[in-house]
């Protein structure tokens, strides 16, 4: 029992990271019907920017939560800027082209970021500094959680609540919903569809960057290709929840994280990566629209 | 100079020549109707005025300003609003949120709330359903919402694309009464309709569009008695 609870705690923590990344996939898909394959690489960039920001703010000397927060926010902000540049330079020019062009562009951007990362940061792993030194907290019944896990959970939760508030209760959030429903009707309201799309990319990128920093806190070895697998799995998580659906992405991420940790714990770590694709196949067979997705026909 | 003046408008969709040198005008305070068969180009004309579709030639002048190249979201701020064909309400947002989005460009919160209440007065059915998701409204209610939403930007020119489409005749009468009331409030209305009878009964002037060209232009009352119009659009 205690082992199961322990796995659950680990799974939920890990899953909340997937959820953060999956949110970016799902928001961009919702608004553009585009799978942004470069999204996992923004997560990687977020971790690297966090690494550099830790240096700028001397966050590892006399570590304190405030400096760590500054690192996190810096990474999110700069990554939002990167998201904006990617959207403007790569995706906007092909927005009116056939969908295949956009897909190929996305793969191209992903390769560019990965190889750019190799060039810039080198292929050897870098070590993310200890900006929050780890210690364990006992939850009773033999279940332990690290303070870093608590931070991952707390930050993810705060970001998700923030996103929910933004989308449901602010003017720009309602504009995002309007654009994702119908570009033409949104422009007739006086909404600049271009600005809303850019804004959506920025939010998604900031969330992925936060995920990058949070993961690097716990597993400090970071390298330019580190975004590929989590990116792919978060994408599966988004599909699992119903792509385009925001709560779905969160649930999909959690399911993915828990499934992965459980499989590692009870079967074998060999299957760790396989479970994502098993889940993908199952969901595509059983409920192709995803857990929360409506089985609606694609609108044009 | 007319409030709206469309001069020699040419619009293409790829190789399809949808508007062929169309001239249309609307004076401030008028209801002008545009009738024509399916595919005549009525929607295309409204979309081009709203900046949703680019013009290949000709120009659209509004209150003395050339707006042909202005993007759609800025045209709203200039005082032209549209209730589009098929209504296009934001299905997963509430009635209230839809109205709020109609006022997206406005900064005067108090004025927006006042106008929203005015919309509820004009369309009481929307008041009863203010928290309801607009996708669950009936077709007629969605049409009312689309018109109310378009009015929330305080337009001086309102473009209406087939407000009677798919709506029961009794409700159509109500909606046309609303249109007259809106017009009395000082809003110019350019009304696209297949229901030519109703449209000509409330309009001052009308245009008949056929395969991308204006083939007739006259006072609405005269169009209603014109033999060709009667044969083609009024069922004889
Ligand atoms: N997006 C588009 N792409 C290509 N052709 C189009 C497009 N929209 C309209 N057309 C064509 O342009 C012509 C005019 O269409 P439009 O929708 O303006 O007609 P309409 O008068 O509004 O017709 P209806 O009464 O059926 O609404 C038609 O031949 C139509 O097929
Ligand atoms: Mg039409």
């Amino acid at each position: 029992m205690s082992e199961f609870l322990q796995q659950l705690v680990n799974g939920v923590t890990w899953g909340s990271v997937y959820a953060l990344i999956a949110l970016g996939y799902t928001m961009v898909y919702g608004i553009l019907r585009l799978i942004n394959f470069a999204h996992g690489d923004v997560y990687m960039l977020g971790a690297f920017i966090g690494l550099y920001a830790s240096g700028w703010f001397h966050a590892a000397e006399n570590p304190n939560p405030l400096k760590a927060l500054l690192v996190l926010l810096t990474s999110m902000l700069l990554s939002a800027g990167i998201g904006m540049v990617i959207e403007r330079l790569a995706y906007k020019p092909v927005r009116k082209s056939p969908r295949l062009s956009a897909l190929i562009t996305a793969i191209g951007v992903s390769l560019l970021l990965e190889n750019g990362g190799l060039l810039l940061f080198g292929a050897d792993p870098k070590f993310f500094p200890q900006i929050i030194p780890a210690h364990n907290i006992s939850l009773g019944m033999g279940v332990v959680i690290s303070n870093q896990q608590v931070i991952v959970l707390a930050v993810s939760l705060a970001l998700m609540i923030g996103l929910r508030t933004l989308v449901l209760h602010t003017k720009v959030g309602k504009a995002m919903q309007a654009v994702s429903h119908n570009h033409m009707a949104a422009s007739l309201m006086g909404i600049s569809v271009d600005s809303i799309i850019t804004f959506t990319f920025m939010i998604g990128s900031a969330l992925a960057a936060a995920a990058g920093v949070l993961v690097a806190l716990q597993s400090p070895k970071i390298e330019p290709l580190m975004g590929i697998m989590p990116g792919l799995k978060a994408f599966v998580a988004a599909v699992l929840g119903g792509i385009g659906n925001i709560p779905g992405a969160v649930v999909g991420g959690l399911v993915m994280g828990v499934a992965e940790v459980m499989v590692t714990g009870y079967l074998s770590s060999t299957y760790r990566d396989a479970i994502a694709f098993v889940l993908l196949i199952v969901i595509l067979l059983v409920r192709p629209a995803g857990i929360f997705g409506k089985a609606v026909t694609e609108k044009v | 100079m007319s409030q709206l003046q469309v001069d020699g408008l040419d619009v293409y969709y790829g190789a399809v020549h949808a508007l062929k040198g169309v001239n249309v005008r609307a004076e401030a305070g008028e209801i002008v109707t545009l009738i024509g068969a399916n595919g005549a180009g009525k929607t295309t004309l409204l979309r081009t005025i709203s900046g949703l579709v680019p013009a290949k030639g000709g120009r659209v002048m509004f209150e003395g300003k050339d707006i042909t190249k202005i993007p759609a979201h800025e045209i709203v701020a200039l005082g032209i609003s549209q209730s589009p064909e098929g209504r296009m309400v934001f299905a997963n947002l509430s009635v209230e949120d839809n109205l709020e989005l109609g006022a997206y460009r406005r900064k005067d919160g108090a004025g927006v709330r006042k106008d929203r209440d005015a919309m509820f007065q004009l369309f009481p059915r929307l008041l009863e359903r203010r928290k309801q998701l607009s996708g669950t409204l009936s077709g007629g209610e969605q049409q009312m919402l689309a018109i109310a939403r378009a009015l929330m930007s305080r337009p001086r020119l309102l473009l209406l694309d087939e407000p009677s489409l798919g709506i029961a005749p009794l409700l159509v009468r109500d909606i046309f009464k609303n249109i007259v009331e809106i017009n009395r409030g000082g809003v110019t209305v350019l009304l696209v309709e297949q229901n030519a009878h109703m449209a000509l009964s409330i309009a001052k002037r009308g245009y008949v569009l056929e395969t991308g060209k204006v083939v007739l232009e006259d006072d609405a009352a005269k169009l209603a008695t014109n033999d060709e119009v009667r044969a083609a659009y009024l069922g004889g």
Side-chain angles (χ1 to χ4, degrees):
Chain A
M1 184 62 188
S2 78
E3 192 194 337
F4 176 77
L5 287 176
Q6 182 68 60
Q7 304 284 17
L8 197 63
V9 167
N10 296 344
V12 168
T13 313
W14 193 222
S16 60
V17 169
Y18 283 146
L20 285 180
I21 311 174
L23 281 168
Y25 276 113
T26 229
M27 284 195 297
V28 166
Y29 183 85
I31 227 153
L32 275 183
R33 306 292 180 270
L34 165 79
I35 312 281
N36 175 15
F37 278 110
H39 192 58
D41 303 302
V42 175
Y43 154 90
M44 172 275 291
L45 287 176
F48 272 96
I49 295 171
L51 172 88
Y52 287 110
S54 303
W56 303 334
F57 303 131
H58 308 286
E61 307 154 24
N62 304 319
N64 72 47
L66 217 62
K67 282 199 239 175
L69 185 65
L70 203 60
V71 169
L72 178 75
L73 292 179
T74 305
S75 167
M76 287 176 70
L77 204 70
L78 293 183
S79 301
I82 291 171
M84 177 174 99
V85 172
I86 292 174
E87 193 273 323
R88 283 281 154 98
L89 293 187
Y91 294 135
K92 192 171 174 212
V94 296
R95 204 183 293 157
K96 297 213 161 60
S97 319
R99 215 175 278 195
L100 189 61
S101 319
L103 199 70
I104 292 168
T105 306
I107 294 169
V109 173
S110 172
L111 291 173
L112 182 80
L113 293 182
E114 285 158 20
N115 291 295
L118 285 170
L119 215 67
L120 209 64
F121 312 128
D124 307 328
K126 301 278 176 300
F127 281 87
F128 197 86
Q130 283 282 309
I131 59 175
I132 304 269
H135 62 84
N136 283 341
I137 303 160
S138 170
L139 294 178
M141 292 171 69
V143 181
V144 190
I145 190 167
S146 78
N147 62 328
Q148 294 175 336
Q149 282 180 308
V150 172
I151 287 172
V152 172
L153 287 170
V155 170
S156 311
L157 191 67
L159 289 173
M160 286 169 202
I161 292 173
L163 180 70
R164 190 188 141 82
T165 311
L166 175 83
V167 171
L168 293 184
H169 300 298
T170 69
K171 196 166 174 177
V172 63
K174 286 173 189 172
M176 287 164 80
Q177 294 187 65
V179 172
S180 84
H181 186 263
N182 186 328
H183 286 199
M184 188 182 276
S187 343
L188 286 178
M189 301 301 108
I191 296 167
S192 162
V193 172
D194 283 349
S195 316
I196 294 293
I197 289 173
T198 306
F199 182 72
T200 304
F201 266 86
M202 293 174 73
I203 298 286
S205 302
L207 294 177
V213 172
L214 292 174
V215 167
L217 268 185
Q218 303 180 87
S219 14
K221 247 164 82 171
I222 66 176
E223 44 94 16
L225 302 183
M226 68 182 269
I228 299 176
M229 252 322 175
L232 215 53
K233 289 178 186 170
F235 167 62
V236 173
V239 173
L240 206 60
I243 190 133
N245 182 301
I246 290 181
V250 173
V251 172
L254 292 175
V255 168
M256 179 70 73
V258 171
E260 219 180 280
V261 169
M262 293 291 175
V263 165
T264 312
Y266 290 104
L267 288 172
S268 150
S269 58
T270 332
Y271 301 127
R272 185 184 174 133
D273 291 341
I275 183 67
F277 304 101
V278 172
L279 282 174
L280 180 64
I281 291 165
V282 170
I283 196 80
L284 289 179
L285 286 175
V286 180
R287 213 179 141 77
I291 301 172
F292 288 89
K294 284 185 231 98
V296 284
T297 45
E298 185 94 335
K299 67 166 194 271
V300 261
Chain B
M1 170 145 231
S2 309
Q3 186 182 35
L4 173 77
Q5 191 160 335
V6 174
D7 295 326
L9 205 59
D10 270 300
V11 174
Y12 288 81
Y13 296 106
V16 179
H17 197 174
L19 293 183
K20 303 164 185 159
V22 167
N23 298 310
V24 163
R25 70 189 163 81
E27 308 295 338
E30 277 186 325
I31 297 181
V32 176
T33 186
L34 209 68
I35 55 182
N38 291 113
K42 306 179 297 292
T43 297
T44 303
L45 177 59
L46 294 197
R47 286 189 178 167
T48 312
I49 295 171
S50 277
L52 294 166
V53 171
K56 192 98 171 225
R59 58 179 196 169
V60 180
M61 302 287 291
F62 179 65
E63 295 178 345
K65 186 178 159 112
D66 187 342
I67 61 163
T68 321
K69 297 239 148 47
I70 296 182
H73 64 275
E74 282 166 26
I75 284 182
V76 182
L78 293 178
I80 302 180
S81 194
Q82 181 176 162
S83 160
E85 184 175 66
R87 309 184 282 257
M88 296 188 188
V89 297
F90 300 114
N92 39 12
L93 290 175
S94 69
V95 166
E96 275 184 340
D97 282 348
N98 270 271
L99 293 178
E100 189 187 326
L101 280 167
Y104 188 76
R105 300 295 291 236
R106 290 174 59 183
K107 303 270 183 283
D108 56 323
V112 169
R113 278 189 296 280
K114 213 176 114 228
D115 285 359
R116 191 191 58 194
D117 293 342
M119 288 308 130
F120 287 144
Q121 214 156 17
L122 188 62
F123 301 108
R125 295 171 78 117
L126 296 182
L127 177 63
E128 295 157 29
R129 295 164 177 79
R130 59 195 293 172
K131 303 280 182 205
Q132 196 172 321
L133 291 188
S134 64
T136 64
L137 297 176
S138 76
E141 289 156 4
Q142 288 190 12
Q143 186 59 60
M144 294 173 189
L145 178 58
I147 296 173
R149 185 182 65 176
L151 288 172
M152 288 299 291
S153 65
R154 287 215 168 170
R156 293 184 295 285
L157 171 63
L158 177 65
L159 311 176
L160 297 174
D161 199 342
E162 301 207 33
S164 72
L165 194 73
I167 293 171
L170 223 61
L171 209 52
V172 171
R173 292 177 62 105
D174 283 348
I175 288 178
F176 272 71
K177 273 187 210 148
N178 293 141
I179 295 171
V180 171
E181 201 175 330
I182 290 162
N183 173 253
R184 288 216 181 100
V187 182
T188 312
V189 175
L190 182 52
L191 170 65
V192 160
E193 260 304 335
Q194 296 218 10
N195 189 337
H197 183 72
M198 286 292 281
L200 289 171
S201 73
I202 65 166
K204 180 154 182 289
R205 293 185 305 111
Y207 293 83
V208 178
L209 213 58
E210 257 171 37
T211 56
K213 284 199 192 101
V214 173
V215 292
L216 265 178
E217 161 183 4
D218 212 333
D219 285 343
K222 290 199 184 124
L223 285 178
T225 55
N226 179 301
D227 287 342
E228 284 165 59
V229 174
R230 290 174 67 97
Y233 305 104
L234 297 172

